[in-house]
Structure formats: structure tokens, C-alpha cells
Amino acid sequence: MLLHVTHETRYEYSPAVETAQHLAHLKPLATASQRLVSHKLAIEPPPAQRSEVPDVYGNTRAFFALEATHDSLVVTAESVVETGAPQLAPGIARELPWEAVRERFRYRKDATFDPASEFVFPSPYVPRHDDFASYARASFAPERPTFDVAMDLTERMYRDFAYDADSTEINTPAAEALAQRKGVCQDFAHIMIACFRVMGLPARYVSGYLLTQPPPGQPRLVGADASHAWVSVYLPGEGDGPESTGGWADFDPTNGRQPGEDYVALAIGRDYSDVSPMRGVLHGGARHTLKVGVTVRPIEELRAQAEEAAQSQSQTPSQPTEKDLQ
């Protein structure tokens, strides 16, 4: 699919902000199943400084500084992304039992370092807690392949949890969302990641988007018209040597399925704290309001609308001139 994504972030400050520095993760990733066709980041008021650099996980971080007093800030990211259905990399040990995967990530002296090991440990939004282990165990049956464990946990969470935008805040602990069995996609992603890590397996957080309009004949997915979040689970490659390259498989517990071509991956990290779309340090602006709007549409829909608008304009009778009236 060829998808057009618009992500607008609008701040209104009171009193005005004197100076500010911001960091944004708003440029979609380039992956094996996703190609970034174009990207534009518009900032109003225009910043005095701006730059882009990759972070440790391969995400693009946009930095910008505002040095003039301002009472509002509007950041609009506009991207065109070509997406395909994610495919597991060749050589993935899909049938490897989860216990064997856990053993690969136990500390052993002189063992070959696997970068995925960074995603086994607790992180700011994903602490280690016995409640996660208690919930996870029903999916982690003995000798069950890791892929099947992840799919079972995804489907269980979809059945057990209610999507409720008013039940949690951005800083609600994952253990609290687990206890009340409701939350938003961020909460569900953190809970699923915590379940894997407490069992000794790597899992990471993915931020991104869902197609606004559902495909024909399919129901609307939860999370449309807003940023979305899901989970990547690591699957090792065959063998134990450094040539044994593993890969990541994505799962969406909010919607009880694996992401497909109707998803756009924006950034990856240990949890939300690594990939928040916007953050900043302000001088002034004690109070603020925030509005975020996300629209994801097939590019063909935009082209059809543009053609329709052009045709409508060409059919509109022109206003008579003074000469025509004489």
C-alpha cells in the first residue's frame, strides 16, 4: 500500500514561552517491509536551529530550538510510505521453544553478544513485577515455540482487556493497567513487553500508525486517527554462532493480530520513553494545551479528492465582468 500520513501537534502556551528546545520522533522508519517515499517536517514559528540525527535504535531524531517568544507551536509531519506485509527473515528459528530462547539470553562468560539482549532488561515504563509473570504463564506453556507464545498472549490480551481512553494517563504504571484490565494501546504494549521480559525473553516497543479507513469488508481498528503502539518479539536464528542472525516479529495486543500493510512503523525502543513523538525543555509557558491529530489515508484517495476538487472548480461558472453585463 502507498499511504499518506499527516501528524499535527499543536501547543498553546500561557504565558508565552521565551525559549524552547524540542526533540521529535516523527519520521517513519525504513525497514524490509516499509519504504519511506517522502517526508516533510514543518515547524511554526520557524526554529532558529534544527537538525536530524539517528539514535542508537536507528530512529530519526529531529532537534529544533526556538529562541524567540511564542505563545503557540505547530509541528506538522507529512510522510508518504510504501508498506507491505511483514515477512520473517530467512533462517529464523520459528519453532524454537521459548525456554531455549531464554537460555540464549542468560549471561554466560565469553558468550557472543546479541544486540537483542538490551531488550530483556527492565526499562522506565516496563519494570519487573511478579504480576506480569502470573498473567504471562498461561501463554508460556512448556516447549511452546516463541512465535506461538506471542500470538497466544496477543489474542488473550485482546479478549481480556478493554480499550478505554479515559482509564489511564501517559505515566500510568503498566502494573496498574494490568490490574484494572483496561487502558490504551501504549498500556497494552508495555504489559505485553513486561510479560516477555519477566520470562527472560527480548521484546521491544514500536510506535506508529494505523490506516484511518478500514479495508473493504473489515471492521474499523481501535487506534485509528491517533498514534498507535505495538510489540516486537525477538526470534533467534538457527544455530548458536555469530552468523546465526535472528529477527523481530510484530504483534498488536490492542487489536489481537499481527500488523500488516495497513500499519506504519515510526520508531522502536525499549518503551514509550525512547520514542515519544514530541518532548521539550521550555523557559516560560507555565500552562499549555495540547492537540494532536493524525490522519492516515491511501494515496489514491488523496489523488481522487484532488481530481474531484479540480473538476468541480473547472465546472464552476465564472463571475460575470462589468463588460459582460453591458
Side-chain angles (χ1 to χ4, degrees):
M1 302 184 74
L2 198 59
L3 300 177
H4 180 273
V5 182
T6 303
H7 185 146
E8 182 183 271
T9 306
R10 182 181 295 270
Y11 287 96
E12 301 289 341
Y13 302 109
S14 178
V17 171
E18 297 178 26
T19 60
Q21 295 183 341
H22 292 274
L23 193 64
H25 291 96
L26 291 169
K27 186 174 184 177
L29 290 165
T31 70
S33 60
Q34 177 174 296
R35 181 174 71 91
L36 181 60
V37 177
S38 65
H39 174 75
K40 179 172 64 176
L41 186 66
I43 304 168
E44 184 60 40
Q49 303 175 46
R50 64 182 295 174
S51 61
E52 282 190 356
V53 294
D55 68 11
V56 68
Y57 303 117
N59 309 309
T60 298
R61 295 190 303 186
F63 167 83
F64 59 94
L66 301 167
E67 298 178 357
T69 301
H70 55 285
D71 55 17
S72 66
L73 171 65
V74 181
V75 179
T76 306
E78 191 172 354
S79 308
V80 176
V81 184
E82 185 179 41
T83 64
Q87 301 291 329
L88 288 179
I92 291 293
R94 178 168 172 162
E95 299 302 320
L96 194 67
W98 70 267
E99 296 95 335
V101 177
R102 179 186 60 190
E103 288 304 311
R104 292 195 181 194
F105 289 95
R106 287 192 188 276
Y107 173 76
R108 298 193 304 274
K109 183 180 179 181
D110 299 327
T112 302
F113 174 73
D114 190 326
S117 61
E118 182 173 358
F119 298 97
V120 176
F121 300 101
S123 56
Y125 281 81
V126 185
R128 194 173 296 275
H129 196 288
D130 288 343
D131 288 352
F132 297 122
S134 297
Y135 183 77
R137 286 191 184 101
S139 295
F140 283 77
E143 299 298 313
R144 192 178 220 171
T146 304
F147 183 93
D148 296 347
V149 168
M151 197 71 249
D152 183 79
L153 184 58
T154 298
E155 293 171 346
R156 279 182 57 219
M157 289 189 62
Y158 179 65
R159 294 191 302 267
D160 294 348
F161 290 74
Y163 187 95
D164 185 348
D166 298 323
S167 63
T168 58
E169 301 291 339
I170 195 71
N171 57 351
T172 298
E176 182 179 323
L178 172 66
Q180 65 185 17
R181 295 293 197 270
K182 57 184 177 181
V184 295
C185 54
Q186 172 187 297
D187 302 306
F188 302 157
H190 285 151
I191 290 168
M192 184 169 174
I193 291 169
C195 287
F196 266 79
R197 291 183 186 171
V198 78
M199 302 299 285
L201 277 68
R204 65 188 187 183
Y205 187 96
V206 186
S207 69
Y209 310 105
L210 273 176
L211 178 61
T212 304
Q213 296 295 331
Q218 295 188 19
R220 178 180 295 276
L221 295 178
V222 175
D225 294 318
S227 295
H228 195 43
W230 58 94
V231 177
S232 272
V233 172
Y234 184 72
L235 303 175
E238 301 286 353
D240 296 313
E243 73 285 349
S244 175
T245 304
W248 296 87
D250 288 0
F251 300 87
D252 180 5
T254 304
N255 290 295
R257 56 170 282 194
Q258 284 197 275
E261 60 181 9
D262 48 343
Y263 284 63
V264 174
L266 185 61
I268 56 175
R270 296 167 302 164
D271 58 34
Y272 176 81
S273 66
D274 287 333
V275 300
S276 56
M278 284 274 296
R279 66 177 66 174
V281 178
L282 313 179
H283 182 203
R287 297 177 299 278
H288 74 268
T289 59
L290 168 64
K291 293 183 179 179
V292 179
V294 173
T295 304
V296 184
R297 291 185 287 182
I299 201 73
E300 292 83 1
E301 183 180 307
L302 288 178
R303 289 172 179 163
Q305 287 181 352
E307 291 174 2
E308 185 177 323
Q311 186 177 8
S312 176
Q313 188 174 9
S314 66
Q315 293 175 352
T316 302
S318 59
Q319 296 294 323
T321 64
E322 183 177 347
K323 184 177 180 180
D324 294 331
L325 297 175
Q326 292 176 351

